[in-house]
Amino acid sequence: MPGQRRRKQRQQRHHERHRPENVPGRWEPLFESQEHAELRDFLRRLRTEGTAIDPAHIRIDTLCGRSAQPTTYQVSVYVPDTSA
């Protein structure tokens, strides 16, 4: 189709400019658990609720534990600074 390449390139440039790394802000914890099943349930609930969160603005961290501390799963959402 005519112009399809140009549209795709424009869309890609837009997404690159608005990635979390390029916009000032901070990561705020949204959910934390030591059970992997709870993490899966939370993410499934986010998808089924249709919450309008861009997947690029969600971060899932696995904080590896040792014998003293158990493994912790954390979901964070990127919140851009509104002061700018």
Side-chain angles (χ1 to χ4, degrees):
M1 288 180 72
Q4 185 174 3
R5 179 185 302 162
R6 191 174 337 126
R7 276 192 306 273
K8 283 185 180 181
Q9 288 174 347
R10 188 179 311 138
Q11 228 175 18
Q12 185 178 7
R13 285 192 305 266
H14 174 77
H15 290 309
E16 286 175 2
R17 279 194 306 269
H18 293 91
R19 288 175 58 193
E21 302 88 50
N22 299 335
V23 178
R26 65 192 179 286
W27 291 98
E28 287 189 2
L30 191 61
F31 174 79
E32 190 170 321
S33 175
Q34 294 177 354
E35 296 294 325
H36 191 265
E38 290 179 11
L39 171 69
R40 282 193 319 250
D41 292 340
F42 177 76
L43 294 174
R44 189 177 299 122
R45 215 172 32 242
L46 270 181
R47 273 186 251 131
T48 58
E49 288 174 358
T51 308
I53 297 177
D54 184 15
H57 290 98
I58 293 179
R59 183 174 77 182
I60 302 170
D61 295 322
T62 303
L63 308 172
C64 296
R66 299 285 189 258
S67 58
Q69 294 179 331
T71 300
T72 304
Y73 304 98
Q74 186 177 34
V75 178
S76 301
V77 65
Y78 192 78
V79 179
D81 284 339
T82 56
S83 61

Short mmCIF file of all heavy atoms in Angstrom, two decimals, residues 9-50:
data_model
loop_
_atom_site.label_atom_id
_atom_site.label_comp_id
_atom_site.label_asym_id
_atom_site.label_seq_id
_atom_site.Cartn_x
_atom_site.Cartn_y
_atom_site.Cartn_z
N GLN A 9 7.31 4.24 9.86
CA GLN A 9 8.49 4.95 10.35
C GLN A 9 8.08 6.09 11.27
O GLN A 9 8.71 6.32 12.30
CB GLN A 9 9.30 5.49 9.17
CG GLN A 9 10.02 4.42 8.40
CD GLN A 9 10.70 4.96 7.15
OE1 GLN A 9 10.44 6.08 6.72
NE2 GLN A 9 11.56 4.14 6.56
N ARG A 10 7.02 6.81 10.93
CA ARG A 10 6.54 7.91 11.77
C ARG A 10 6.08 7.37 13.12
O ARG A 10 6.38 7.94 14.17
CB ARG A 10 5.40 8.63 11.07
CG ARG A 10 4.98 9.90 11.79
CD ARG A 10 3.85 10.63 11.08
NE ARG A 10 4.12 10.79 9.66
CZ ARG A 10 3.20 10.63 8.69
NH1 ARG A 10 1.97 10.31 8.99
NH2 ARG A 10 3.52 10.80 7.43
N GLN A 11 5.36 6.25 13.09
CA GLN A 11 4.90 5.63 14.34
C GLN A 11 6.08 5.18 15.19
O GLN A 11 6.08 5.37 16.41
CB GLN A 11 4.03 4.41 13.99
CG GLN A 11 2.76 4.34 14.72
CD GLN A 11 1.92 3.16 14.22
OE1 GLN A 11 2.44 2.24 13.59
NE2 GLN A 11 0.65 3.19 14.51
N GLN A 12 7.08 4.59 14.57
CA GLN A 12 8.24 4.11 15.31
C GLN A 12 9.00 5.28 15.94
O GLN A 12 9.41 5.20 17.10
CB GLN A 12 9.17 3.34 14.38
CG GLN A 12 10.35 2.72 15.10
CD GLN A 12 11.21 1.91 14.15
OE1 GLN A 12 11.00 1.91 12.94
NE2 GLN A 12 12.19 1.23 14.69
N ARG A 13 9.16 6.39 15.21
CA ARG A 13 9.83 7.56 15.78
C ARG A 13 9.05 8.13 16.95
O ARG A 13 9.61 8.52 17.97
CB ARG A 13 10.03 8.63 14.70
CG ARG A 13 11.13 8.33 13.72
CD ARG A 13 11.47 9.54 12.87
NE ARG A 13 10.32 10.09 12.18
CZ ARG A 13 9.96 9.78 10.93
NH1 ARG A 13 10.69 8.92 10.23
NH2 ARG A 13 8.91 10.34 10.38
N HIS A 14 7.72 8.13 16.83
CA HIS A 14 6.87 8.62 17.92
C HIS A 14 7.05 7.76 19.17
O HIS A 14 7.21 8.26 20.28
CB HIS A 14 5.40 8.61 17.50
CG HIS A 14 4.46 8.97 18.60
ND1 HIS A 14 4.27 10.27 19.02
CD2 HIS A 14 3.67 8.20 19.38
CE1 HIS A 14 3.39 10.28 20.01
NE2 HIS A 14 3.01 9.03 20.25
N HIS A 15 7.04 6.43 19.00
CA HIS A 15 7.21 5.52 20.14
C HIS A 15 8.59 5.66 20.77
O HIS A 15 8.73 5.59 21.99
CB HIS A 15 6.96 4.08 19.72
CG HIS A 15 5.53 3.78 19.41
ND1 HIS A 15 4.49 4.09 20.24
CD2 HIS A 15 4.96 3.19 18.33
CE1 HIS A 15 3.35 3.72 19.71
NE2 HIS A 15 3.61 3.17 18.54
N GLU A 16 9.61 5.87 19.95
CA GLU A 16 10.97 6.03 20.49
C GLU A 16 11.09 7.32 21.30
O GLU A 16 11.77 7.34 22.32
CB GLU A 16 11.99 6.02 19.36
CG GLU A 16 12.21 4.64 18.77
CD GLU A 16 13.13 4.65 17.58
OE1 GLU A 16 13.65 5.75 17.22
OE2 GLU A 16 13.33 3.59 16.99
N ARG A 17 10.44 8.39 20.86
CA ARG A 17 10.51 9.66 21.60
C ARG A 17 9.76 9.59 22.92
O ARG A 17 10.11 10.29 23.86
CB ARG A 17 9.91 10.79 20.76
CG ARG A 17 10.84 11.37 19.74
CD ARG A 17 10.30 12.67 19.20
NE ARG A 17 8.94 12.56 18.67
CZ ARG A 17 8.64 12.27 17.40
NH1 ARG A 17 9.59 12.08 16.53
NH2 ARG A 17 7.39 12.19 17.02
N HIS A 18 8.73 8.78 23.00
CA HIS A 18 7.88 8.74 24.19
C HIS A 18 8.14 7.52 25.07
O HIS A 18 7.32 7.19 25.92
CB HIS A 18 6.41 8.81 23.78
CG HIS A 18 6.06 10.13 23.18
ND1 HIS A 18 6.14 10.37 21.83
CD2 HIS A 18 5.67 11.30 23.75
CE1 HIS A 18 5.79 11.62 21.58
NE2 HIS A 18 5.52 12.20 22.74
N ARG A 19 9.26 6.86 24.88
CA ARG A 19 9.62 5.74 25.75
C ARG A 19 9.93 6.28 27.13
O ARG A 19 10.37 7.42 27.29
CB ARG A 19 10.83 4.99 25.19
CG ARG A 19 10.47 4.19 23.95
CD ARG A 19 11.65 3.55 23.33
NE ARG A 19 12.32 2.67 24.28
CZ ARG A 19 13.52 2.19 24.07
NH1 ARG A 19 14.19 2.49 23.00
NH2 ARG A 19 14.07 1.40 24.97
N PRO A 20 9.72 5.47 28.19
CA PRO A 20 9.96 5.95 29.56
C PRO A 20 11.37 6.49 29.79
O PRO A 20 11.54 7.42 30.55
CB PRO A 20 9.71 4.71 30.41
CG PRO A 20 8.79 3.88 29.62
CD PRO A 20 9.15 4.14 28.18
N GLU A 21 12.37 5.93 29.11
CA GLU A 21 13.74 6.40 29.33
C GLU A 21 13.93 7.82 28.82
O GLU A 21 14.81 8.54 29.27
CB GLU A 21 14.76 5.49 28.63
CG GLU A 21 14.71 4.05 29.03
CD GLU A 21 13.72 3.25 28.21
OE1 GLU A 21 13.76 3.32 26.97
OE2 GLU A 21 12.90 2.57 28.81
N ASN A 22 13.11 8.25 27.86
CA ASN A 22 13.29 9.56 27.24
C ASN A 22 12.40 10.64 27.86
O ASN A 22 12.52 11.80 27.51
CB ASN A 22 13.00 9.47 25.74
CG ASN A 22 13.95 8.52 25.05
OD1 ASN A 22 15.06 8.30 25.52
ND2 ASN A 22 13.54 7.96 23.95
N VAL A 23 11.49 10.26 28.73
CA VAL A 23 10.59 11.21 29.38
C VAL A 23 10.93 11.24 30.86
O VAL A 23 10.96 10.20 31.51
CB VAL A 23 9.12 10.78 29.18
CG1 VAL A 23 8.19 11.74 29.88
CG2 VAL A 23 8.78 10.67 27.71
N PRO A 24 11.19 12.42 31.45
CA PRO A 24 11.53 12.46 32.87
C PRO A 24 10.38 11.97 33.74
O PRO A 24 9.22 12.28 33.48
CB PRO A 24 11.83 13.93 33.14
CG PRO A 24 11.51 14.68 31.91
CD PRO A 24 11.18 13.72 30.83
N GLY A 25 10.73 11.18 34.73
CA GLY A 25 9.71 10.64 35.63
C GLY A 25 10.32 9.65 36.60
O GLY A 25 11.53 9.63 36.79
N ARG A 26 9.46 8.82 37.17
CA ARG A 26 9.94 7.84 38.17
C ARG A 26 9.09 6.57 38.08
O ARG A 26 7.97 6.59 37.58
CB ARG A 26 9.84 8.44 39.57
CG ARG A 26 8.42 8.72 40.00
CD ARG A 26 8.32 9.57 41.26
NE ARG A 26 6.94 9.82 41.59
CZ ARG A 26 6.14 10.66 40.95
NH1 ARG A 26 6.57 11.33 39.92
NH2 ARG A 26 4.89 10.83 41.32
N TRP A 27 9.64 5.48 38.57
CA TRP A 27 8.94 4.21 38.65
C TRP A 27 8.31 4.10 40.04
O TRP A 27 8.99 4.24 41.04
CB TRP A 27 9.90 3.04 38.44
CG TRP A 27 10.41 2.94 37.04
CD1 TRP A 27 11.59 3.40 36.57
CD2 TRP A 27 9.74 2.35 35.94
NE1 TRP A 27 11.70 3.13 35.23
CE2 TRP A 27 10.58 2.48 34.82
CE3 TRP A 27 8.51 1.72 35.77
CZ2 TRP A 27 10.21 2.00 33.56
CZ3 TRP A 27 8.16 1.24 34.52
CH2 TRP A 27 9.01 1.39 33.43
N GLU A 28 7.00 3.85 40.09
CA GLU A 28 6.30 3.68 41.36
C GLU A 28 5.83 2.24 41.49
O GLU A 28 5.19 1.71 40.58
CB GLU A 28 5.10 4.62 41.46
CG GLU A 28 5.48 6.05 41.67
CD GLU A 28 4.29 6.93 41.98
OE1 GLU A 28 3.15 6.41 42.07
OE2 GLU A 28 4.49 8.13 42.14
N PRO A 29 6.12 1.61 42.63
CA PRO A 29 5.66 0.23 42.82
C PRO A 29 4.13 0.17 42.83
O PRO A 29 3.47 0.98 43.44
CB PRO A 29 6.22 -0.16 44.18
CG PRO A 29 7.21 0.88 44.54
CD PRO A 29 6.90 2.10 43.74
N LEU A 30 3.62 -0.82 42.13
CA LEU A 30 2.18 -1.01 42.03
C LEU A 30 1.75 -2.26 42.77
O LEU A 30 0.66 -2.31 43.33
CB LEU A 30 1.80 -1.10 40.54
CG LEU A 30 0.37 -1.05 40.13
CD1 LEU A 30 -0.23 0.28 40.55
CD2 LEU A 30 0.24 -1.21 38.64
N PHE A 31 2.62 -3.26 42.78
CA PHE A 31 2.30 -4.54 43.39
C PHE A 31 3.59 -5.23 43.81
O PHE A 31 4.61 -5.12 43.12
CB PHE A 31 1.55 -5.42 42.37
CG PHE A 31 1.29 -6.81 42.83
CD1 PHE A 31 0.25 -7.08 43.70
CD2 PHE A 31 2.08 -7.86 42.41
CE1 PHE A 31 0.00 -8.37 44.12
CE2 PHE A 31 1.84 -9.15 42.82
CZ PHE A 31 0.79 -9.41 43.68
N GLU A 32 3.56 -5.93 44.93
CA GLU A 32 4.73 -6.67 45.40
C GLU A 32 4.26 -7.93 46.11
O GLU A 32 3.30 -7.90 46.89
CB GLU A 32 5.53 -5.81 46.36
CG GLU A 32 6.87 -6.40 46.72
CD GLU A 32 7.74 -5.42 47.47
OE1 GLU A 32 7.73 -4.23 47.15
OE2 GLU A 32 8.42 -5.89 48.40
N SER A 33 4.92 -9.04 45.81
CA SER A 33 4.55 -10.31 46.42
C SER A 33 5.74 -11.26 46.41
O SER A 33 6.67 -11.11 45.62
CB SER A 33 3.39 -10.95 45.65
OG SER A 33 3.10 -12.23 46.17
N GLN A 34 5.68 -12.26 47.27
CA GLN A 34 6.71 -13.29 47.29
C GLN A 34 6.23 -14.56 46.60
O GLN A 34 6.98 -15.51 46.47
CB GLN A 34 7.11 -13.59 48.73
CG GLN A 34 7.79 -12.42 49.39
CD GLN A 34 8.13 -12.68 50.84
OE1 GLN A 34 7.77 -13.71 51.40
NE2 GLN A 34 8.83 -11.74 51.45
N GLU A 35 4.99 -14.55 46.11
CA GLU A 35 4.42 -15.71 45.43
C GLU A 35 4.29 -15.42 43.94
O GLU A 35 3.69 -14.43 43.54
CB GLU A 35 3.04 -16.04 46.00
CG GLU A 35 3.06 -16.45 47.44
CD GLU A 35 3.77 -17.78 47.66
OE1 GLU A 35 3.68 -18.67 46.78
OE2 GLU A 35 4.43 -17.92 48.69
N HIS A 36 4.85 -16.30 43.12
CA HIS A 36 4.79 -16.13 41.68
C HIS A 36 3.35 -16.24 41.18
O HIS A 36 2.94 -15.54 40.24
CB HIS A 36 5.69 -17.16 40.99
CG HIS A 36 5.87 -16.88 39.54
ND1 HIS A 36 5.11 -17.46 38.57
CD2 HIS A 36 6.72 -16.04 38.89
CE1 HIS A 36 5.48 -17.01 37.39
NE2 HIS A 36 6.46 -16.15 37.56
N ALA A 37 2.55 -17.09 41.79
CA ALA A 37 1.16 -17.24 41.40
C ALA A 37 0.37 -15.95 41.61
O ALA A 37 -0.48 -15.59 40.79
CB ALA A 37 0.51 -18.38 42.18
N GLU A 38 0.66 -15.24 42.68
CA GLU A 38 -0.01 -13.95 42.94
C GLU A 38 0.38 -12.93 41.87
O GLU A 38 -0.46 -12.12 41.45
CB GLU A 38 0.34 -13.43 44.32
CG GLU A 38 -0.27 -14.20 45.45
CD GLU A 38 0.13 -13.67 46.82
OE1 GLU A 38 0.71 -12.56 46.88
OE2 GLU A 38 -0.16 -14.34 47.81
N LEU A 39 1.63 -12.95 41.44
CA LEU A 39 2.08 -12.05 40.37
C LEU A 39 1.31 -12.34 39.09
O LEU A 39 0.80 -11.43 38.44
CB LEU A 39 3.58 -12.22 40.13
CG LEU A 39 4.15 -11.50 38.91
CD1 LEU A 39 4.12 -9.99 39.11
CD2 LEU A 39 5.55 -11.98 38.61
N ARG A 40 1.20 -13.61 38.72
CA ARG A 40 0.45 -13.99 37.52
C ARG A 40 -1.00 -13.55 37.61
O ARG A 40 -1.56 -13.02 36.66
CB ARG A 40 0.52 -15.50 37.30
CG ARG A 40 1.81 -15.98 36.71
CD ARG A 40 1.67 -17.41 36.24
NE ARG A 40 0.92 -18.23 37.17
CZ ARG A 40 1.43 -19.20 37.92
NH1 ARG A 40 2.69 -19.47 37.83
NH2 ARG A 40 0.67 -19.89 38.74
N ASP A 41 -1.62 -13.76 38.78
CA ASP A 41 -3.01 -13.35 38.97
C ASP A 41 -3.17 -11.84 38.83
O ASP A 41 -4.13 -11.36 38.23
CB ASP A 41 -3.54 -13.80 40.33
CG ASP A 41 -3.68 -15.31 40.42
OD1 ASP A 41 -3.74 -15.96 39.35
OD2 ASP A 41 -3.73 -15.82 41.56
N PHE A 42 -2.24 -11.08 39.39
CA PHE A 42 -2.31 -9.62 39.31
C PHE A 42 -2.20 -9.16 37.87
O PHE A 42 -2.98 -8.31 37.42
CB PHE A 42 -1.20 -8.99 40.16
CG PHE A 42 -1.17 -7.50 40.07
CD1 PHE A 42 -2.10 -6.73 40.74
CD2 PHE A 42 -0.22 -6.86 39.29
CE1 PHE A 42 -2.09 -5.35 40.65
CE2 PHE A 42 -0.20 -5.49 39.19
CZ PHE A 42 -1.14 -4.73 39.87
N LEU A 43 -1.23 -9.72 37.12
CA LEU A 43 -1.06 -9.33 35.72
C LEU A 43 -2.26 -9.74 34.88
O LEU A 43 -2.70 -9.00 34.00
CB LEU A 43 0.23 -9.94 35.16
CG LEU A 43 1.52 -9.41 35.78
CD1 LEU A 43 2.71 -10.18 35.27
CD2 LEU A 43 1.67 -7.93 35.51
N ARG A 44 -2.82 -10.90 35.15
CA ARG A 44 -4.02 -11.35 34.45
C ARG A 44 -5.19 -10.40 34.74
O ARG A 44 -5.95 -10.02 33.84
CB ARG A 44 -4.37 -12.77 34.87
CG ARG A 44 -5.49 -13.38 34.04
CD ARG A 44 -5.76 -14.82 34.43
NE ARG A 44 -4.57 -15.64 34.22
CZ ARG A 44 -3.97 -16.35 35.17
NH1 ARG A 44 -4.45 -16.36 36.39
NH2 ARG A 44 -2.90 -17.07 34.91
N ARG A 45 -5.31 -9.97 35.99
CA ARG A 45 -6.37 -9.04 36.38
C ARG A 45 -6.20 -7.69 35.66
O ARG A 45 -7.18 -7.09 35.23
CB ARG A 45 -6.35 -8.85 37.89
CG ARG A 45 -7.69 -8.67 38.50
CD ARG A 45 -7.70 -8.67 40.02
NE ARG A 45 -6.53 -8.12 40.67
CZ ARG A 45 -5.73 -8.80 41.48
NH1 ARG A 45 -5.96 -10.08 41.72
NH2 ARG A 45 -4.70 -8.23 42.05
N LEU A 46 -4.96 -7.22 35.54
CA LEU A 46 -4.71 -5.97 34.82
C LEU A 46 -5.18 -6.07 33.37
O LEU A 46 -5.80 -5.15 32.84
CB LEU A 46 -3.22 -5.64 34.82
CG LEU A 46 -2.66 -4.78 35.95
CD1 LEU A 46 -1.18 -4.55 35.73
CD2 LEU A 46 -3.38 -3.48 36.08
N ARG A 47 -4.87 -7.21 32.74
CA ARG A 47 -5.27 -7.39 31.34
C ARG A 47 -6.78 -7.49 31.19
O ARG A 47 -7.35 -6.90 30.27
CB ARG A 47 -4.62 -8.64 30.76
CG ARG A 47 -3.26 -8.37 30.20
CD ARG A 47 -2.71 -9.58 29.51
NE ARG A 47 -1.63 -10.05 30.38
CZ ARG A 47 -1.46 -11.29 30.80
NH1 ARG A 47 -2.26 -12.23 30.40
NH2 ARG A 47 -0.48 -11.60 31.59
N THR A 48 -7.44 -8.23 32.07
CA THR A 48 -8.89 -8.42 31.92
C THR A 48 -9.67 -7.17 32.28
O THR A 48 -10.74 -6.93 31.72
CB THR A 48 -9.39 -9.59 32.79
OG1 THR A 48 -9.06 -9.34 34.16
CG2 THR A 48 -8.80 -10.90 32.34
N GLU A 49 -9.17 -6.34 33.19
CA GLU A 49 -9.86 -5.10 33.55
C GLU A 49 -9.79 -4.09 32.42
O GLU A 49 -10.58 -3.14 32.39
CB GLU A 49 -9.26 -4.49 34.81
CG GLU A 49 -9.57 -5.23 36.07
CD GLU A 49 -8.84 -4.67 37.27
OE1 GLU A 49 -8.06 -3.70 37.11
OE2 GLU A 49 -9.04 -5.19 38.38
N GLY A 50 -8.85 -4.28 31.51
CA GLY A 50 -8.71 -3.34 30.41
C GLY A 50 -8.12 -2.01 30.84
O GLY A 50 -8.37 -0.98 30.24
#
